[in-house]
Amino acid sequence: MIEFDVRTLDTGVGVVTPRGRLNMVAARQFKTILGELVAGGTHRIVVDLAETDFIDSSGLGALIGGVKQTRQQGGDLRIARPTESVMGVLELTNLARVLRPRDAVDTAFDD
């Protein structure tokens, strides 16, 4: 089971926090949430992975889809605070180089 917390920072950055397993079952809902944010005008999104204890290829695909959606609108999707198990998958798939995990949600767009 997974839950998603969605909020917007004062800077206009959307923050999505998946809590639980970001797998094939949850990826569809995750894609929908990201798509709704982008459609609503939020083109800078941080996915806070501090409470995500597992991610599979479907979850990774949803993240990459979110990157594509935001960049097509002139924005970006960044990830922050991945757990050790999620970071292991990101490194194994070389997506850590593409997504470049950030240490904090609030400063993910400070560069």
Side-chain angles (χ1 to χ4, degrees), residues 13-77:
V13 173
V15 178
V16 180
T17 306
R19 291 190 173 99
R21 299 173 59 86
L22 190 48
N23 58 17
M24 182 177 71
V25 175
R28 183 176 303 216
Q29 183 181 2
F30 184 48
K31 282 189 215 180
T32 299
I33 290 168
L34 295 175
E36 288 173 351
L37 282 170
V38 172
T42 302
H43 302 146
R44 294 186 310 152
I45 299 171
V46 178
V47 179
D48 182 1
L49 296 169
E51 297 183 50
T52 305
D53 51 22
F54 176 82
I55 191 167
D56 69 4
S57 60
S58 299
L60 294 173
L63 278 174
I64 296 303
V67 169
K68 183 178 177 183
Q69 284 183 316
T70 54
R71 289 184 180 173
Q72 286 175 340
Q73 299 300 319
D76 202 3
L77 181 143

Side-chain angles (χ1 to χ4, degrees), residues 7-15 46 105-107:
R7 62 189 172 101
T8 304
L9 301 177
D10 293 337
T11 57
V13 173
V15 178
V46 178
V105 171
D106 295 343
T107 59

Side-chain angles (χ1 to χ4, degrees), residues 81-98:
R81 306 182 326 148
T83 58
E84 187 175 324
S85 63
V86 170
M87 192 63 200
V89 173
L90 293 171
E91 288 173 346
L92 183 67
T93 59
N94 285 322
L95 287 176
R97 293 190 324 181
V98 175

